[in-house]
Amino acid sequence: MAKKQTTKRTVSTSPGFFGRVAAFFKSETLHFIIGLALVIFSVYLLLAFLSFFFTGAADQSILDGDADRLSSVNNGVRNYAGSRGAQLARYLINDCFGLASFLIIVFLAVAGLKLMRARIFRLWKWFVGCSLLMIWASVFLAFIFQGQFYDSFLIPGGMHGYNISRWLESQVGTPGVWMILLIVAVCFLIYLSANTIVWLRKLFSLSFLKRKRKEVFVAEEGETPHEFTHSWTATYPAKGAKTEQPEEEQPIVVGEPAFVVEAPTDIHEETVKETPVDLILPVTKETKEPAEPTFDVEQIEDEQYQGPEREPFDPRKDLSSYRFPPVELMKHYDNAEPSIDMAEQNANKDKIITTLRSFGIEISSIKATVGPTVTLYEITPSQGVRIAKIRNLEDDIALSLSALGIRIIAPIPGKGTIGIEVPNSNPKIVSGQSIIGSKKFQESTADLPIALGKTITNEVFMVDLCKMPHVLVAGATGQGKSVGLNAIITSLLYKKHPSELKFVLVDPKKVEFSIYSVIEHHYLAKLPDGGDPIITDVKKVVQTLNSVCVEMDTRYDLLKAAHVRNVKEYNAKFTERRLNPEKGHKFMPYIVVIIDEFGDLIMTAGKEIELPIARIAQLARAVGIHMIIATQRPTTNIITGTIKANFPARIAFRVSASVDSRTILDRPGANQLIGRGDMLFLQGADPVRVQCAFIDTPEVADITNYIAKQPGYPTAFYLPEYVGEESGSDLTDIDMGRLDPLFEEGARLIVIHQQGSTSLIQRKFAIGYNRAGRLMDQLEKAGIVGPTQGSKPRDVLIQDENSLEMILNNFK
């Protein structure tokens, strides 16, 4: 019997004619050339428009005359842009939109700069805005100057505005035209900024008059008016274009056993490259009413509290103009798109079948899934073959394939197959742009989304840090730990507003995180001592981690008072203005502590640093504090049992020995990775192999510089002051005969604000932390403030300025 022939279907990796045409029109060089041409043309058009105002009258007879004369050399046209520029200016200004045609020049320049990537613009928003404003201005100018330019060469509103204004006047009359113009203008202002609604509400409700009357009433009662204001902004990510689905490929059957090659499922997935669009919502300000007598039970008071503002609180208002970095800041690699090399797949398939048969193992089918750097071959063994027998052939299969290292998954969870992971001979780069710009990441609703890279099936791999909630990163030197940390930080920078997220960066090597120091006033948290935002000194690291513990304890006290269980519920309750800020309640941003070279810290500080890390890992999840630690020495004396027990999520890059892999993942596997960002992510039962996204240092620099150029907060996010048991101040050593020059001013400041805080003195007088601390010790010895109370401000013992003056006189 003749053996049935199976048709072999090849997958072409070279693009066709239309693919090359599409690639040409998508090339950055073509975009730059078109953008440059648009900018130059806009300058030429501006020259023609400006010259038209001075030479239009002289050129009018020539433009109305013989068209052949305009093509001649001695045409007599005086416009600086020549005869064609004069024609274009006259057509756009007189025959079209009048003086509003200048907005065409604005849009052409904006579009050119956008294509050149010289500036970041929302092109569709500029197009809609310029179009609406041009049409409105054309009608407005034609209506107000109607009948005044019959004898002039210039029509201010153009024929477009002239015809529309005449038709509107015939339909609704002159008052109706004014009303229509006013309504359209208001709608346009609302489109630009929703604060227009607030201004109109105040205008119609006469709220400014009510506020004045209320302030007069308060002044008569002898109280100081106090405004309790909060801001509100919301940002929404722009939706990307529709995702094009590739045509389904039929399975490729090659001889016996069956061999199926699965094409990547998301090769053609489009990336969302629009930055978020800001929507500014109303803000209302009201004068705080005099406090009513309340019960002594503070928790019940907070439960029944309702703020005077009608609008919900949103912390983004302080940086309402903040723009998230665009995806274009990251580099696009030409070889990032995965492809299938059928010759390599067939060769590896034959070698695997031959090797297994040489050891007496028959398989019934084999299927290949091609990933960015690794191909997964799923084999189905024949009946009666022991899995342990295949697992023991790992080195023999690697020898036959001449591969750097293979990994056998026996069996694959949820499938009745055995997996053999083989490195590709031509690995692809997983760019940060393809991960951050993916539809999955842009539309993610996770609280702290992290996009790590792509799996073997070419799917974007994402996790939520809030659910992890702490991560241990380990791997040998040069295997991708720093790039992985950059991917984690960059993911959070692209999704969270500065008011919602703060980083505590610990870098004993002093060079890994220094690139993030420029965003100190946006995203970084530190001690209030005026030091470097990137913590590098070991002693400062211990103090910072203990300060984070103090912040954790303070947050738990606030959660207890608010009757909530986690920071998400607390912030939701605070934004609804159901918590009284005067009772210490505040919006809590997420705090992510990232420690690089954890092994070096353990060697130098030992238990002194392990204790606060263990406390944070055990308790801080509910209050929005998460920790990521990385080390290149995954040994048991560095990654202790306490650390492993409290870091359920693990990321393992390549290590040299199986014992190191067991230390990180409690199983082998990390020693079989190929390096260069190849990693295993473990959260739960089985690890997932991921190719980490490559975000290079210049890309991180561009992102951080983009953020740093925008307005930020006056200072970094200050962690609470931490005073150790050994660092308590001895008041007997303080010389009250040599008082600080700011002693009297500092005392008055403390008494007026009734808040004994070192950071308050530091901010108001612009002095260093050490001097402010010495000044606070002098105030304590003088009896003006009480002793330290951890993270809480000191008690102010003097209640009025008269008593303070009596104390100050004793020191004069």
Side-chain angles (χ1 to χ4, degrees), residues 526-532 539-540 543-544 546-547 550 715 718-724 727-729 740 742 756-778 788-794:
K526 66 174 187 177
L527 293 172
D529 57 359
D532 189 22
K539 295 182 179 179
K540 188 69 69 65
Q543 189 177 0
T544 301
N546 283 311
S547 179
V550 174
T715 62
Y718 283 146
L719 297 171
E721 302 171 13
Y722 171 76
V723 180
S727 60
S729 59
D740 191 283
L742 296 175
S757 172
T758 305
S759 59
L760 175 64
I761 296 178
Q762 186 180 357
R763 290 195 307 270
K764 292 296 183 181
F765 297 127
I767 60 177
Y769 180 77
N770 294 331
R771 183 181 178 185
R774 290 192 299 269
L775 180 57
M776 186 61 72
D777 292 337
Q778 293 177 357
T788 59
Q789 305 183 71
S791 64
K792 299 180 180 179
R794 298 171 183 248

Side-chain angles (χ1 to χ4, degrees), residues 49-320:
F49 279 20
L50 295 178
S51 179
F52 178 74
F53 293 121
F54 302 100
T55 63
D59 295 339
Q60 185 173 10
S61 59
I62 302 175
L63 296 176
D64 292 335
D66 188 7
D68 295 335
R69 182 181 176 184
L70 294 176
S71 302
S72 63
V73 177
N74 299 320
N75 50 28
V77 175
R78 300 174 61 183
N79 192 295
Y80 296 149
S83 60
R84 302 308 171 191
Q87 282 183 308
L88 195 57
R90 180 186 178 186
Y91 172 74
L92 291 176
I93 294 179
N94 285 347
D95 296 341
C96 292
F97 302 102
L99 299 179
S101 299
F102 276 92
L103 291 169
I104 298 177
I105 300 175
V106 174
F107 178 73
L108 289 177
V110 167
L113 294 175
K114 169 76 173 179
L115 290 174
M116 294 170 62
R117 295 191 177 182
R119 295 292 299 273
I120 305 301
F121 294 107
R122 294 178 180 84
L123 203 56
W124 65 269
K125 190 171 184 179
W126 275 89
F127 175 76
V128 174
C130 289
S131 301
L132 294 177
L133 184 59
M134 182 174 62
I135 295 173
W136 181 89
S138 174
V139 178
F140 176 75
L141 292 174
F143 182 67
I144 62 174
F145 293 115
Q146 189 175 10
Q148 300 183 23
F149 285 85
Y150 284 127
D151 298 332
S152 174
F153 70 95
L154 176 66
I155 304 177
M159 293 305 298
H160 166 270
Y162 176 75
N163 293 330
I164 292 182
S165 63
R166 285 192 61 192
W167 181 81
L168 288 175
E169 190 173 9
S170 67
Q171 300 298 314
V172 297
T174 302
V177 176
W178 280 112
M179 292 178 185
I180 291 175
L181 290 173
L182 179 61
I183 291 173
V184 174
V186 170
C187 293
F188 181 74
L189 292 176
I190 292 175
Y191 170 76
L192 294 180
S193 172
N195 277 335
T196 308
I197 300 176
V198 182
W199 301 332
L200 292 176
R201 284 176 179 170
K202 292 181 179 179
L203 179 64
F204 289 116
S205 64
L206 303 178
S207 59
F208 56 93
L209 296 178
K210 295 178 182 179
R211 185 181 294 108
K212 289 182 179 180
R213 288 198 297 267
K214 191 174 291 186
E215 289 176 356
V216 171
F217 172 75
V218 174
E220 289 177 355
E221 294 293 329
E223 297 181 2
T224 302
H226 174 66
E227 287 189 352
F228 176 60
T229 60
H230 287 292
S231 351
W232 172 265
T233 341
T235 63
Y236 300 91
K239 293 185 178 180
K242 294 182 180 180
T243 304
E244 298 179 4
Q245 296 295 337
E247 295 181 1
E248 295 184 359
E249 297 288 345
Q250 298 296 330
I252 303 172
V253 182
V254 185
E256 295 292 342
F259 177 52
V260 181
V261 178
E262 289 190 351
T265 57
D266 65 341
I267 295 176
H268 302 285
E269 181 181 7
E270 293 186 359
T271 58
V272 180
K273 294 187 179 180
E274 293 292 336
T275 51
V277 180
D278 284 4
L279 173 65
I280 304 175
L281 300 178
V283 181
T284 58
K285 294 183 179 181
E286 295 183 4
T287 306
K288 183 182 172 185
E289 298 291 343
E292 294 289 337
T294 57
F295 293 102
D296 294 335
V297 183
E298 181 180 344
Q299 296 180 356
I300 297 180
E301 181 188 27
D302 285 342
E303 184 71 25
Q304 297 178 350
Y305 174 80
Q306 184 65 44
E309 287 79 2
R310 291 171 293 179
E311 296 293 341
F313 169 75
D314 191 341
R316 294 188 176 191
K317 180 59 180 178
D318 292 335
L319 297 183
S320 60

Side-chain angles (χ1 to χ4, degrees), residues 480-672:
K481 291 193 310 301
S482 298
V483 176
L485 294 178
N486 284 339
I488 292 174
I489 297 174
T490 303
S491 300
L492 297 175
L493 292 179
Y494 268 91
K495 290 294 285 187
K496 305 303 291 184
H497 191 270
S499 62
E500 302 168 343
L501 173 67
K502 301 298 176 183
F503 289 102
V504 177
L505 301 180
V506 178
D507 182 18
K509 288 197 297 187
K510 304 181 181 181
V511 293
E512 292 294 341
F513 292 151
S514 59
I515 197 170
Y516 296 102
S517 60
V518 295
I519 59 173
E520 172 185 355
H521 292 177
H522 295 81
Y523 283 101
L524 298 189
K526 66 174 187 177
L527 293 172
D529 57 359
D532 189 22
I534 310 299
I535 299 101
T536 57
D537 184 26
V538 175
K539 295 182 179 179
K540 188 69 69 65
V541 171
V542 176
Q543 189 177 0
T544 301
L545 293 177
N546 283 311
S547 179
V548 173
C549 291
V550 174
E551 173 72 13
M552 176 186 69
D553 295 335
T554 303
R555 290 190 173 196
Y556 267 113
D557 292 338
L558 294 176
L559 262 64
K560 177 183 176 182
H563 303 288
V564 293
R565 297 182 62 184
N566 55 57
V567 68
K568 189 174 183 179
E569 296 177 4
Y570 178 90
N571 285 337
K573 203 169 184 180
F574 186 84
T575 54
E576 296 170 1
R577 302 192 184 277
R578 295 167 57 193
L579 299 174
N580 191 351
E582 294 185 351
K583 299 298 181 182
H585 292 292
K586 58 185 178 181
F587 185 85
M588 296 182 186
Y590 288 101
I591 297 178
V592 179
V593 183
I594 303 179
I595 302 177
D596 193 15
E597 297 299 338
F598 175 69
D600 180 73
L601 295 179
I602 288 293
M603 291 178 60
T604 54
K607 296 293 182 180
E608 190 178 3
I609 200 170
E610 188 176 357
L611 179 60
I613 288 178
R615 285 205 65 212
I616 294 172
Q618 290 171 353
L619 302 173
R621 172 181 182 176
V623 292
I625 301 176
H626 305 275
M627 179 169 287
I628 301 171
I629 62 175
T631 179
Q632 64 177 357
R633 299 181 61 231
T635 56
T636 53
N637 59 334
I638 300 298
I639 305 177
T640 61
T642 304
I643 297 297
K644 291 177 63 176
N646 294 292
F647 284 78
R650 322 270 177 82
I651 295 177
F653 292 90
R654 186 186 180 189
V655 294
S656 57
S658 175
V659 63
D660 294 336
S661 177
R662 293 182 183 276
T663 303
I664 308 169
L665 303 174
D666 297 325
R667 70 196 71 195
N671 57 310
Q672 299 162 335

Side-chain angles (χ1 to χ4, degrees), residues 362-366 378-382 416-418:
E362 294 291 335
I363 60 177
S364 59
S365 66
I366 180 170
E378 296 184 40
I379 62 175
T380 304
S382 300
T417 58
I418 296 174

